[in-house]
Amino acid sequence: MSQSTQELGTLVETDEQGGDRDSYEIVVAEDDAFMMAIVREVLERDGFRIVAEARDADEALEAALRHRPHVMLLEVDLPGDGIAASQAIRSQIPEARIAMLAGFSAEDDVFRAIDAGANGYLLKSTAQGRLPSALKAVARGETALPRAVTERLVREMRAAQSAQRTPEHGGVNRALRYLPRFLKHFYRRVRARMPVSAAWSSARHRMRAYR
């Protein structure tokens, strides 16, 4: 993880599930020993308690069922498919809070992860100081997305705002103010098992009603 690269996008409130706590229990699923060591050091330094480490999708599911941690961090390319593991975990533990860890931000993978029930998508290039705060946010019921995805959301909202802008609407600043509401609508539809493309269209349609 780079100390200087900051690829993490906006953290957007989606649920209200408790506030800050002194420590968080976490399961980390990562098959690369070097990356696991880095993640372990960063998280333990910030007060996380790693209750289990997993090397593949089956181990991740087993650890989730055994420990019921506050949050899980799953590598996307985990043997057995980290995104499939997320879906399996959420099917058995609907309240699970899951963040995916990836080497790069591919929009298809991001939305596939969301569709599988993940609450966050973090990059290995995320600055070390931001990783714990992002995972704490996910554990609290917020959503962490890569900067590229949040920028796409902002572009979508600006386009929707431009289509109906009047002087009193306040332009882009007003559109940005509604970003949390836009995402909240989107994630609610995804969690109701609506396909990602349909949930995105629904959220865009909802934007037209924001006055």
Side-chain angles (χ1 to χ4, degrees):
M1 292 184 186
S2 168
Q3 290 283 358
S4 58
T5 305
Q6 294 189 2
E7 295 290 342
L8 184 64
T10 306
L11 297 175
V12 182
E13 183 178 351
T14 56
D15 293 303
E16 296 182 0
Q17 298 183 0
D20 292 322
R21 59 178 74 241
D22 293 333
S23 64
Y24 292 82
E25 294 183 350
I26 186 171
V27 167
V28 179
E30 167 62 71
D31 65 315
D32 182 271
F34 179 72
M35 179 57 62
M36 176 69 86
I38 293 176
V39 171
R40 184 189 307 115
E41 179 182 356
V42 169
L43 296 183
E44 289 181 342
R45 185 193 310 148
D46 207 81
F48 280 82
R49 188 165 76 87
I50 300 176
V51 295
E53 297 179 1
R55 297 293 187 269
D56 58 38
D58 289 340
E59 288 184 5
L61 174 59
E62 181 181 349
L65 294 172
R66 179 185 302 121
H67 297 285
R68 307 286 176 126
H70 297 117
V71 63
M72 297 192 66
L73 181 63
L74 309 181
E75 219 281 334
V76 168
D77 294 325
L78 201 65
D81 192 346
I83 294 177
S86 173
Q87 187 170 26
I89 291 166
R90 284 297 296 266
S91 69
Q92 297 196 48
I93 312 174
E95 70 278 11
R97 306 298 302 177
I98 301 170
M100 307 306 300
L101 182 66
F104 58 93
S105 175
E107 285 194 5
D108 287 347
D109 281 345
V110 174
F111 288 109
R112 191 164 66 92
I114 293 170
D115 199 30
N119 310 101
Y121 195 98
L122 311 177
L123 302 182
K124 293 180 179 180
S125 59
T126 299
Q128 293 183 18
R130 292 172 62 87
L131 181 64
S133 61
L135 287 170
K136 288 176 182 178
V138 170
R140 290 194 303 267
E142 299 175 18
T143 300
L145 294 175
R147 187 179 303 279
V149 175
T150 55
E151 288 176 351
R152 176 182 169 183
L153 289 168
V154 170
R155 289 196 302 271
E156 294 279 356
M157 295 183 68
R158 284 173 173 166
Q161 187 70 30
S162 296
Q164 58 176 332
R165 184 177 299 158
T166 59
E168 68 271 21
H169 282 164
V172 170
N173 287 337
R174 184 175 177 83
L176 294 177
R177 190 174 69 201
Y178 284 120
L179 179 58
R181 192 183 303 179
F182 179 93
L183 284 174
K184 194 166 190 174
H185 180 87
F186 171 70
Y187 279 103
R188 280 178 173 171
R189 294 299 179 270
V190 168
R191 288 170 184 167
R193 311 312 303 164
M194 179 181 286
V196 168
S197 59
W200 188 272
S201 296
S202 175
R204 291 186 64 186
H205 177 76
R206 186 66 171 267
M207 267 300 298
R208 299 189 184 101
Y210 295 164
R211 298 289 182 178

